[in-house]
Amino acid sequence: MNALWKVARFTATDIFRSKWLPVYTVFFFLIAEGLFRFSGDSGQALVSLTNITILLIPAASIIYGALYFYGAREFIELLLAQPVGRKPLFTGLFSGIAGALGGGFLIGTGLPCLLHGTADDRITILAILSIGVMLTLIFVALALLVAVRSDEKVRGVGICLGLWLAFAILYDGLIWLVLALFADYPLERAAIVMTTLNPIDLGRVGIMLRLDIAALMGYTGAVFEQFFGSRVGFTLTSGAMLAWIVAPFMLALRSFSRKDF
Amino acid sequence: MPPHDMGRHCSSLEMMSAAAGQILRLLLLFSICFACMRTSAVHAAEVRVGNGVDFAAAVAKAAAGDRIIVPNGVHTAIDVKIDKPLEITGQAGATLDGKGKSQILIISAGNVVIRGLTFIRSGMSYVSDNAAIKATGISDLKIENCSFRDNFFGIYLAKSSNCIVRNCSFKASGRLESSSGNGIHQWYCRNSVIENNTIAGHRDGIYLEFSRNAIIRGNKSLNNIRYGLHFMFSDSCAYRDNLFQENGAGVAVMYSKFITMTGNIFRQNWGPAAYGLLLKEIADSHIERNRIEGNTTGLYADGCNRNTIHFNTFHRNGWGVKIYANSSQNNFKDNNFLSNTFAVSTNSSSLQTNVFDANYWSEYTGYDLNRDGFGDAAHHPVRLFTILIERQPTSLILLRSLFIDLLDAAERALPVLTPQTLADAHPRMKPKQ
């Protein structure tokens, strides 16, 4: 446990010192601050903030996570020569990267939200922040999974980019295709199931439930609202999000434990 | 004796009685001259309910023009017929109870005034429209400061003119459309004034059919089962500064001309068939300075022509404006569209004759190089995704997806499906104040 904490702290300070984290934080701060200042209506600012959270966080987390792991390869090999368990070492690495990125996002986005957000928007802001943190955890875990499995840096980063593209864009295209092809059938349930299988879509729907509640109360939207808005739906989607963190992490941990460095 | 002499020489008592005599003589003259007019109003007597005289007996006993005083307490009143001009005044706590049987007051005479009474329990019926106060074929009815609780219909005016309903509150707790009635119902009425009332829990808050020249202002219509305000075939009416909130289906106005709707608030009407403001076959009307926020559909226009929609604010609605292609020559100018999920939706990409000009669109991304306050590039408020959703509603699940944003961007560059004629050539850079 001690080793885990030490590795995590070292990783986080390392990311901070490399100026990556300050830049990341300031970037989110400027974006959020600018949006609140210039978009006139806090609703519009939150919409844009949602888009950025949902797109940028997965991209940044998965690419930076992989790059950091490749960069830290020698450091990892050095530590493995010491009496340090592989489990605490890997968990420490994950916590350090995810904690640094998640913290940077929370501070960068949270401050402007605190400054400008109205009382009505409080829950929406909370949803955006927590979904941002969840997405960070998920995509750092995915990044480590790819980086552990693939020794070649270029190939690894390429796979990460591909994964991001698939989750962020292609998957939705697939959903749309299915919805268009089977338009004659009632597809509300199918749409819900397909959405739950993609973490970015889960995050998107979670925020949509707050921001577009008026539109969701329409005919089809009501079906989605009934599911995702209910306690069962919330539990299920939170469970799916958690599974999306735990599964890649466990897989990566297993590969890391068995890996021949 | 000329009055100015009198004032100097007589004692005050004599002066008063003489003056009274003078007035009486004058009045006599008047009543002879206008024998058919209601001279009795002048000799108004007071009839008190109580001491063995129940409400119905008091009404029967009263002569035309008398004033009936209803003291504190619950008085049974079932189908009490008011066929002469009366003033019925309730003291604090005075309540007329219909016992859930039938109607409470049935008015068939003009110039009735009702003040300060509470009406409870007019009877629910699937056959007849039982109301707490029903007036048929009369004029100049005035209902003020009354309260209506758990009635089927609250006030039902039919074929009447110049009636006023003011400062009343209506509260019912109906659950089904079929088993609850309207708060204020008008049928074939002329020149009514409905102002500063609060209506909640009825089927329709305010309902007008075949009425003309009504003025509806300062009312609050909340949590009604169906519509906050519902009117059909009622031309030349004005609706000002009302609040319509959380009604089952919002506000529906149909088949009418020359309507003025200004300064109203339409708020939080949610549901698959809920509209902030539903317009069906409305023509030549003015919809101005209203605030339409948080509704599933803000403004829905079906078969509406030549209306002006100016200075309204559409805020955080699912669909700001849904305008069907059978609507033409409507003018949307100087409105603010703020953070609606879909600003404008339509069902056709063919030629649009509706004009959108000088509105503010919070999603507008253009620039203003000449700094005149208007964007230099036209804004097309109908997105591709809006059209896709019209065709395939389930794709709503993809809202705010990057994939959809990319499709939208592609459509903007090379428009195929979105109506190019539906555009705002001068989008504002800042919201219109």
Side-chain angles (χ1 to χ4, degrees):
Chain A
M1 212 57 202
N2 202 17
L4 189 161
W5 171 242
K6 270 187 184 157
V7 172
R9 211 180 47 187
F10 175 81
T11 310
T13 31
D14 189 37
I15 296 177
F16 188 80
R17 278 213 203 105
S18 70
K19 300 203 174 60
W20 232 97
L21 187 57
V23 168
Y24 190 68
T25 312
V26 167
F27 171 78
F28 272 112
F29 180 83
L30 287 180
I31 291 265
E33 180 72 20
L35 284 175
F36 275 113
R37 252 170 219 276
F38 296 114
S39 60
D41 177 52
S42 72
Q44 196 62 36
L46 289 174
V47 167
S48 308
L49 203 58
T50 305
N51 284 336
I52 285 164
T53 306
I54 278 171
L55 293 178
L56 230 59
I57 287 195
S61 302
I62 199 166
I63 289 170
Y64 187 75
L67 282 178
Y68 188 84
F69 187 86
Y70 287 121
R73 196 178 165 103
E74 285 169 8
F75 164 68
I76 293 166
E77 281 171 9
L78 178 73
L79 278 189
L80 285 178
Q82 313 293 322
V84 179
R86 287 194 171 200
K87 234 182 199 174
L89 172 58
F90 185 76
T91 318
L93 264 174
F94 171 76
S95 320
I97 302 172
L101 293 180
F105 162 72
L106 271 186
I107 293 169
T109 315
L111 275 182
C113 285
L114 274 182
L115 287 175
H116 302 283
T118 56
D120 294 347
D121 299 327
R122 214 170 283 156
I123 300 176
T124 314
I125 289 170
L126 205 69
I128 292 178
L129 291 182
S130 51
I131 282 166
V133 171
M134 291 277 237
L135 286 175
T136 306
L137 292 173
I138 292 170
F139 281 87
V140 169
L142 281 171
L144 293 187
L145 177 64
V146 172
V148 170
R149 291 263 175 106
S150 153
D151 276 335
E152 210 178 312
K153 187 175 171 181
V154 177
R155 187 161 162 266
V157 173
I159 292 173
C160 285
L161 267 176
L163 272 180
W164 176 77
L165 210 64
F167 280 126
I169 304 173
L170 297 181
Y171 190 83
D172 287 348
L174 194 73
I175 293 187
W176 185 63
L177 197 67
V178 170
L179 293 183
L181 280 179
F182 300 98
D184 296 341
Y185 300 89
L187 284 170
E188 284 83 1
R189 274 152 192 272
I192 288 174
V193 172
M194 284 190 283
T195 311
T196 339
L197 295 179
N198 178 351
I200 295 188
D201 278 351
L202 274 179
R204 187 169 54 76
V205 170
I207 299 174
M208 195 168 86
L209 278 180
R210 296 290 321 162
L211 277 178
D212 301 293
I213 189 72
L216 283 176
M217 298 310 280
Y219 177 65
T220 358
V223 181
F224 301 139
E225 204 276 335
Q226 263 171 22
F227 174 75
F228 291 110
S230 71
R231 197 165 293 173
V232 182
F234 182 76
T235 319
L236 271 176
T237 47
S238 310
M241 281 287 233
L242 270 182
W244 266 109
I245 300 172
V246 173
F249 176 76
M250 293 312 284
L251 281 175
L253 183 61
R254 215 177 64 142
S255 298
F256 186 79
S257 303
R258 293 177 182 181
K259 192 176 168 72
D260 181 18
F261 279 93
Chain B
M1 194 193 305
H4 61 267
D5 282 345
M6 239 172 46
R8 221 175 294 148
H9 302 295
C10 302
S11 71
S12 62
L13 193 75
E14 279 172 317
M15 187 186 79
M16 272 171 65
S17 66
Q22 195 93 348
I23 290 167
L24 262 175
R25 232 176 299 158
L26 252 169
L27 286 171
L28 203 68
L29 196 72
F30 270 112
S31 53
I32 290 163
C33 288
F34 310 104
C36 51
M37 280 189 63
R38 38 183 212 287
T39 56
S40 52
V42 178
H43 307 285
E46 279 191 359
V47 181
R48 283 187 75 89
V49 177
N51 292 334
V53 183
D54 71 357
F55 180 73
V59 169
K61 193 174 128 191
D66 282 358
R67 173 196 273 187
I68 296 177
I69 308 257
V70 186
N72 181 18
V74 178
H75 309 272
T76 303
I78 299 167
D79 287 338
V80 178
K81 292 191 174 52
I82 305 208
D83 49 6
K84 55 209 156 196
L86 288 177
E87 184 184 328
I88 304 172
T89 307
Q91 292 175 335
T95 301
L96 296 184
D97 186 351
K99 299 269 182 194
K101 292 211 167 66
S102 180
Q103 325 214 46
I104 299 178
L105 298 185
I106 301 171
I107 299 173
S108 55
N111 296 296
V112 172
V113 179
I114 298 169
R115 279 201 192 96
L117 276 165
T118 298
F119 294 83
I120 60 172
R121 295 197 284 172
S122 68
M124 200 281 283
S125 162
Y126 290 110
V127 183
S128 59
D129 295 335
N130 290 337
I133 299 178
K134 179 174 282 181
T136 311
I138 53 122
S139 68
D140 302 289
L141 168 66
K142 201 190 264 185
I143 303 171
E144 291 177 328
N145 304 321
C146 289
S147 159
F148 298 79
R149 299 275 171 275
D150 298 314
N151 294 293
F152 184 48
F153 279 74
I155 296 175
Y156 192 122
L157 306 173
K159 299 213 167 192
S160 298
S161 57
N162 306 327
C163 297
I164 299 176
V165 180
R166 190 182 281 155
N167 302 332
C168 293
S169 76
F170 298 76
K171 181 108 187 62
S173 41
R175 292 222 176 79
L176 293 172
E177 274 183 26
S178 51
S179 61
S180 61
N182 302 327
I184 301 174
H185 183 107
Q186 295 190 40
W187 189 72
Y188 271 111
C189 288
R190 297 285 178 277
N191 310 325
S192 317
V193 176
I194 311 281
E195 61 185 0
N196 301 333
N197 303 289
T198 302
I199 307 142
H202 276 278
R203 181 173 62 195
D204 291 345
I206 302 170
Y207 179 94
L208 288 88
E209 194 168 350
F210 306 114
S211 294
R212 296 277 179 283
N213 300 321
I215 296 175
I216 318 279
R217 68 181 158 224
N219 301 288
K220 293 191 178 92
S221 187
L222 323 160
N223 302 102
N224 293 294
I225 299 166
R226 192 169 61 181
Y227 299 119
L229 166 70
H230 185 185
F231 64 84
M232 311 235 282
F233 313 107
S234 295
D235 298 345
S236 313
C237 295
Y239 306 83
R240 298 202 182 95
D241 306 313
N242 302 289
L243 169 68
F244 304 103
Q245 186 167 319
E246 290 175 64
N247 296 295
V251 165
V253 299
M254 304 183 187
Y255 312 106
S256 304
K257 282 179 273 190
F258 313 114
I259 304 294
T260 310
M261 303 188 94
T262 54
N264 302 290
I265 299 175
F266 304 89
R267 193 187 278 159
Q268 275 159 353
N269 300 292
W270 281 356
Y275 304 93
L277 179 56
L278 179 150
L279 306 175
K280 168 116 181 103
E281 315 259 335
I282 297 287
D284 304 300
S285 296
H286 298 278
I287 295 164
E288 288 169 13
R289 277 180 278 276
N290 300 290
R291 195 165 171 86
I292 301 171
E293 61 185 4
N295 307 288
T296 295
T297 303
L299 181 113
Y300 174 100
D302 183 1
C304 297
N305 302 310
R306 300 180 303 278
N307 300 294
T308 55
I309 296 116
H310 292 177
F311 307 111
N312 302 288
T313 297
F314 298 85
H315 186 220
R316 292 200 192 186
N317 300 289
W319 284 262
V321 171
K322 244 186 202 178
I323 184 159
Y324 281 126
N326 56 3
S327 300
S328 66
Q329 297 170 48
N330 297 291
N331 189 308
F332 292 81
K333 196 161 180 283
D334 295 319
N335 300 291
N336 293 326
F337 290 85
L338 306 170
S339 308
N340 300 291
T341 304
F342 304 100
V344 176
S345 157
T346 183
N347 62 344
S348 164
S349 60
S350 64
L351 185 72
Q352 288 270 346
T353 53
N354 300 302
V355 177
F356 285 80
D357 195 39
N359 300 290
Y360 172 78
W361 311 88
S362 61
E363 72 273 20
Y364 178 60
T365 50
Y367 45 83
D368 179 19
L369 287 184
N370 56 4
R371 303 223 154 246
D372 60 351
F374 296 96
D376 298 345
H379 179 63
H380 297 271
V382 182
R383 299 165 56 193
L384 172 66
F385 190 41
T386 324
I387 307 251
L388 294 182
I389 284 197
E390 286 288 324
R391 296 185 184 177
Q392 178 53 45
T394 329
S395 45
L396 183 65
I397 195 96
L398 294 173
L399 180 64
R400 304 208 184 292
S401 154
L402 180 59
F403 173 73
I404 292 299
D405 290 348
L406 288 177
L407 278 188
D408 270 344
E411 172 72 17
R412 261 169 225 261
L414 290 166
V416 180
L417 291 167
T418 50
Q420 285 313 292
T421 42
L422 202 163
D424 189 333
H426 306 97
R428 281 176 190 279
M429 297 306 288
K430 290 224 164 76
K432 172 91 183 162
Q433 293 300 321

